[in-house]
Amino acid sequence: SHPAHYGPIVSVQRSPFFHDTILTVGDWTFNLYKAPAKEPVVKSSFASTHLSCGRFSPTRPGVIVTARTDGDIEIWDLIDRSHEASLQHNVGPSAVTALEFWGDGTPNLQLLAVGDQQGTLHIFEIPRNLRRPLPNEPSLVDALLRRELSRVGYLASRAQFRRQELSVKEAQDEEKKRVQEEADAKAAAEEARLREAAEAEAQAIAAGEVEAVVEQAKEEEATSKLEAADEQAEAKYRALEAAFREKVGLTVPES
């Protein structure tokens, strides 16, 4: 299955001149498919109202007739122009629901039967320029379809190439993102390690300073005790000396 229209397809017909070419009609457009393309090689411009059916001309390979829900019929001559209809005619106020060609087997006479929603049948004679084939028209139309087929194939290959490019770029972006995330994680881990080391060093320094203060306090306390002991020993010595002097009569009288 291939996407052809935005809504229901109301008409499908194989070309009477090219067995690999199919006409589809639906929503506001008609499409021409040519094997093996999966997309339309020719797509009409959007009509102002929905299309209701379509037919290939039985005598001209490049002519297509489409009907609209506003009561108009359009005749497209792809050799003359492909962006717009070559002829537009209003059949009546009701939607056209059926189209059928009739002829005597020659380009001299060609009629188009048109049925509308009200059950009315209209018969039109196709103009001479739209029923008589141009010289080499099958070759011209075939060349046109093949050219459009090549264009569609090129666009499809370019789209595939672009998808591959985007896929490679996305993979590269993902790899860059992964590498960056790994680098960020390593940097964060290294920063955390350095921060922990700095904190441990600061704690060690702080602990060493406290220990030094404690040792200094202990040394000062020991020094104070030694000085107090020396003073006490000195006082005792002086007291003994004074007592001895007094005992042996060496006391110096006060003047």
Side-chain angles (χ1 to χ4, degrees), residues 3 38 58 74 134 145 250:
K38 296 181 180 180
E74 294 179 335
L134 302 176
L145 294 176
L250 297 178

Coordinates of all heavy atoms in Angstrom, one line a residue, residues 3 38 58 74 134 145 250:
P3 N 0.6 5.7 0.2 CA -0.2 6.9 0.5 C -0.4 7.6 -0.8 O 0.5 8.0 -1.5 CB 0.6 7.7 1.5 CG 2.0 7.3 1.3 CD 1.9 5.8 0.9
K38 N 6.9 4.3 -5.7 CA 5.9 4.2 -4.7 C 5.2 5.5 -4.4 O 4.3 5.5 -3.5 CB 6.6 3.7 -3.4 CG 7.2 2.3 -3.5 CD 7.9 1.8 -2.2 CE 8.4 0.4 -2.4 NZ 9.1 0.0 -1.1
P58 N -9.4 7.9 -24.4 CA -9.1 6.6 -25.1 C -8.3 6.9 -26.4 O -7.9 5.9 -27.0 CB -10.5 6.1 -25.4 CG -11.4 7.3 -25.5 CD -10.8 8.3 -24.5
E74 N -13.1 19.0 -15.8 CA -11.9 19.6 -16.2 C -11.2 18.6 -17.2 O -11.2 17.4 -16.9 CB -11.0 19.9 -15.0 CG -11.5 21.0 -14.1 CD -10.6 21.3 -13.0 OE1 -9.8 20.4 -12.6 OE2 -10.6 22.4 -12.4
L134 N -1.5 14.0 -31.0 CA -0.4 14.7 -31.6 C 0.6 13.7 -32.2 O 0.6 12.6 -31.9 CB 0.4 15.6 -30.6 CG -0.5 16.6 -29.8 CD1 0.3 17.4 -28.8 CD2 -1.1 17.6 -30.8
L145 N 6.6 10.9 -18.5 CA 6.4 10.0 -17.3 C 7.7 9.5 -16.8 O 8.0 9.4 -15.6 CB 5.4 8.9 -17.6 CG 4.0 9.3 -17.9 CD1 3.2 8.1 -18.3 CD2 3.3 10.0 -16.7
L250 N 76.6 32.7 114.2 CA 77.1 33.5 113.1 C 76.1 34.5 112.6 O 76.3 35.1 111.5 CB 77.5 32.5 111.9 CG 78.6 31.5 112.2 CD1 78.8 30.7 111.0 CD2 79.9 32.3 112.5

